[in-house]
Amino acid sequence: MPELEKVEGEDPKTGRATSTWMVNSADGQVAFRQWASDHGVTDFSGPTVRAAGRVVLHRTKGKLQFADIRDWTGDIQLFIGRQQIGEENWELLNQVDLGDIIGVDGELRLTKVGELSIFATKIHFLTKSIEQPPEKFHGLNDPELRQRMRYLDLTYGDGVLPRFLNRTKIVHSIRSTLAAQGFVEIEGPTLHTIAGGAAARPFITHHNTLDMKLYMRIALELHLKRLMVGGMERVYELGRVYRNEGISPKHNPEFTMIEVYQAFGDYRTMMDLTEQMILNAIEALGGEYQLPWGDGQIDFTPPFARRTYNDLFAEHAGVDPLDAAAVKSLAEQIGFDTAGKHPDVIKNEVFEEKVEDALVGPVFVIDYPASICPLTKRKQDNPEVAERFELFIQGMEIANAYTELNDPDLQEELFSSQLAGLSEEDSMAKMDHDFIRALRHGMPPAGGLGVGIDRLVMLLTNSQTIRDVILFPLMREGQ
RNA sequence: GAGGGUGUAGCUCAGUCGGUAGAGCAACGGACUUUUAAUCCGUAGGUCUUGGGUUCAAGUCCCAACACCCUCACCA
């Protein structure tokens, strides 16, 4: 590093690059390949290019060196001859280590063995990497280091950068799908006075000036519904929510969720929207409906199956879901404690145990027991059934949607009646008088949808752990 | 929170029965103008996660702590 400063005009601490050509860009290799096929690969006179990237491989051959540089579009080989770049530049080149970022001017050509390369005329030292990079062949393997030093994982990990760029494409596609249907994106508060809209333990914090207890939001629901009251007829928020729960391959304490509300819609319109959002996201990634998943595949070919909660219950649990006594005895047979619990709570415990893992999907599970859905409108002809669906894929809950309850009196009643067998933490029913007041001013009938973005990205990028789709998952403080 | 696993050089990993700490890559020095993770010769690099204990002797056995991974529970 200190020696570098002896080289005139090249200070790696202040290196600058302008107008660099992307290694794998449309106007780069693609154009060159076209050019090469037009002229025949034996024509060795190529276009002049300028590129910049990190040195990831380096082979020396006396007065000749090969270096592979990498930018976020890909890798390309540099062919660097001592004569071709001159003595002074050659001296500079010999200061370059793996991990450094260099620029190059040269001619794009094929080597004798047909490798597309930049035949350098000038090397520019742009940035010195003082730390040593990971091993060039095995890369960074330790999962702890890959998460703590994500910058190294992104540069050197196979498929890591494309996976996170695909996450961005998926999110962008979702926004496009919604924009095309007239939905507007808003930004609600993340600090809540009541942690409502879902059943989860919140992170608790405090505002000093107001001397007020605050909760990090666990859901987006109740503020978006307030906006529906205010006349924002198609509205959504895509953002982070926080739940003070365990960490697992499917759970991170902060995760990304989208909630969408459509006035004059219902859970069926949300089902169509959900399917469209996912299919468009798949389209954005290349449009293949059969996506790899571990050793198998997921078949996203539309339309996704739509099955009622009760049908699936009967099929997988082997018990009539309407026969509360039979359901209870099955629950006890499994080993659940049923004492003092509401029949629907028991039924749902059995559902989660017997049915959810079997839902390879994609499958929309529709029509849930009303009593476990305090924010959902009941079916007109059957108040025991709520107009709710959940989308399951590979046993994971990906989406959850309702025909939204907009009756303030019923909402108030459901907020205040805790279902037997559910602790306050387990219940979505948390009294929110301010929200009830909003409903009293009239919320249009509506469909509402929530989608776990991280899990959707997992499924579309063949990632078995949520940490592979979150850039900086929560970890304990390192040294 | 419970159970199991892992922790050795910058990175990827060996380390047998408890007996002086190893390799490859990277780094450094040298040779080589068409190479493809791996050319050849040489040099340097370690508080074996941390703290105790057993032992003549501990990377190795025991205990505890810390971090990460897996399974389960909670949750999406």
Side-chain angles (χ1 to χ4, degrees):
Chain A
M1 179 70 181
E3 293 86 341
L4 282 166
E5 289 163 9
K6 288 191 293 195
V7 182
E8 204 169 347
E10 294 281 351
D11 180 355
K13 288 179 179 169
T14 59
R16 293 286 185 280
T18 55
S19 311
T20 62
W21 166 80
M22 289 294 147
V23 164
N24 215 1
S25 66
D27 61 342
Q29 293 196 25
V30 174
F32 177 74
R33 293 216 160 91
Q34 184 59 48
W35 174 88
S37 79
D38 290 349
H39 292 76
V41 288
T42 51
D43 189 336
F44 270 75
S45 162
T48 298
V49 296
R50 160 172 281 197
R54 196 181 288 274
V55 180
V56 292
L57 288 174
H58 190 202
R59 297 174 288 282
T60 64
K61 190 83 178 151
K63 299 185 182 65
L64 176 65
Q65 297 189 15
F66 298 89
D68 290 8
I69 64 169
R70 172 174 299 169
D71 71 11
W72 73 343
T73 67
D75 292 0
I76 195 164
Q77 173 171 274
L78 309 185
F79 180 108
I80 310 162
R82 184 169 183 170
Q83 259 181 4
Q84 290 84 337
I85 65 169
E87 283 304 316
E88 196 177 308
N89 207 212
W90 183 258
E91 194 183 325
L92 173 81
L93 176 68
N94 289 326
Q95 312 286 347
V96 173
D97 293 323
L98 290 178
D100 293 348
I101 297 171
I102 63 173
V104 59
D105 288 307
E107 226 179 275
L108 197 57
R109 287 202 233 152
L110 299 176
T111 62
K112 280 182 183 170
V113 292
E115 175 87 6
L116 186 65
S117 306
I118 297 173
F119 284 65
T121 52
K122 172 108 185 186
I123 296 295
H124 306 273
F125 211 128
L126 299 178
T127 305
K128 181 67 188 172
S129 170
I130 299 166
E131 296 284 346
Q132 291 190 38
E135 210 262 358
K136 67 185 181 186
F137 184 60
H138 300 92
L140 205 58
N141 248 14
D142 183 338
E144 180 171 0
L145 293 181
R146 289 182 51 203
Q147 291 166 53
R148 288 196 193 277
M149 300 201 276
R150 186 66 91 187
Y151 41 91
L152 292 180
D153 195 32
L154 286 165
T155 302
Y156 297 100
D158 203 21
V160 177
L161 179 58
R163 187 170 68 236
F164 282 105
L165 294 177
N166 277 342
R167 177 177 176 130
T168 298
K169 283 183 193 169
I170 290 166
V171 169
H172 186 258
S173 163
I174 288 170
R175 287 193 161 107
S176 299
T177 300
L178 290 166
Q181 297 189 30
F183 287 87
V184 297
E185 180 172 12
I186 63 93
E187 293 166 275
T190 60
L191 296 172
H192 287 186
T193 52
I194 295 170
R201 289 165 59 193
F203 286 91
I204 302 171
T205 185
H206 180 262
H207 186 268
N208 289 339
T209 308
L210 298 181
D211 188 21
M212 184 168 68
K213 186 178 183 181
L214 288 169
Y215 303 91
M216 304 298 290
R217 66 182 176 188
I218 60 171
L220 312 172
E221 176 135 354
L222 300 184
H223 288 87
L224 285 164
K225 284 181 172 174
R226 285 170 169 93
L227 297 177
M228 299 275 296
V229 173
M232 300 186 91
E233 295 187 359
R234 294 188 178 208
V235 65
Y236 73 98
E237 177 164 10
L238 195 162
R240 210 65 62 83
V241 298
Y242 306 86
R243 297 189 182 178
N244 206 338
E245 308 276 1
I247 294 173
S248 85
K250 292 176 187 170
H251 301 87
N252 193 62
E254 55 176 313
F255 63 103
T256 302
M257 167 169 263
I258 186 172
E259 289 196 25
V260 185
Y261 292 84
Q262 179 185 2
F264 315 114
D266 63 14
Y267 77 142
R268 296 189 179 279
T269 63
M270 299 327 271
M271 236 179 295
D272 296 339
L273 178 64
T274 304
E275 191 169 303
Q276 196 57 54
M277 267 173 28
I278 292 173
L279 294 175
N280 287 353
I282 289 170
E283 185 66 32
L285 298 186
E288 183 53 62
Y289 285 149
Q290 303 284 338
L291 290 180
W293 180 251
D295 297 331
Q297 303 197 306
I298 306 175
D299 182 1
F300 284 95
T301 306
F304 300 167
R306 300 183 180 196
R307 304 286 308 279
T308 67
Y309 183 95
N310 280 345
D311 280 355
L312 288 166
F313 190 99
E315 181 178 323
H316 290 100
V319 163
D320 179 1
L322 300 177
D323 183 346
V327 171
K328 186 177 175 184
S329 83
L330 174 59
E332 284 163 356
Q333 198 183 309
I334 293 169
F336 292 141
D337 180 14
T338 60
K341 286 184 180 170
H342 188 284
D344 286 341
V345 172
I346 297 170
K347 190 201 281 188
N348 203 48
E349 285 177 357
V350 173
F351 187 90
E352 287 173 0
E353 171 74 19
K354 289 289 191 184
V355 184
E356 288 189 359
D357 286 347
L359 300 178
V360 176
V363 56
F364 290 108
V365 179
I366 64 177
D367 294 345
Y368 277 66
S371 50
I372 60 170
C373 309
L375 296 160
T376 313
K377 189 172 270 188
R378 280 71 177 110
K379 273 193 155 348
Q380 250 173 344
D381 56 355
N382 186 356
E384 298 300 308
V385 176
E387 293 197 347
R388 171 185 186 177
F389 77 77
E390 293 194 341
L391 173 63
F392 282 89
I393 304 174
Q394 295 294 324
M396 279 199 292
E397 185 194 331
I398 298 303
N400 181 19
Y402 315 138
T403 301
E404 299 296 339
L405 180 61
N406 63 344
D407 175 341
D409 294 333
L410 180 56
Q411 184 69 81
E412 185 166 24
E413 184 189 325
L414 293 175
F415 271 168
S416 51
S417 60
Q418 202 71 253
L419 270 192
L422 283 181
S423 69
E424 178 166 345
E425 275 169 2
D426 289 337
S427 173
M428 279 188 256
K430 286 198 184 68
M431 179 56 72
D432 186 335
H433 291 292
D434 184 73
F435 174 64
I436 299 291
R437 179 168 56 193
L439 286 187
R440 291 173 67 84
H441 284 279
M443 186 181 90
L449 165 70
V451 180
I453 298 295
D454 312 273
R455 288 183 171 183
L456 180 60
V457 173
M458 284 170 68
L459 292 167
L460 299 187
T461 60
N462 192 17
S463 305
Q464 312 299 308
T465 165
I466 200 168
R467 289 177 226 109
D468 281 346
V469 299
I470 293 177
L471 282 166
F472 298 101
L474 185 67
M475 302 183 83
R476 287 180 206 267
E477 190 177 12
Q479 295 91 346

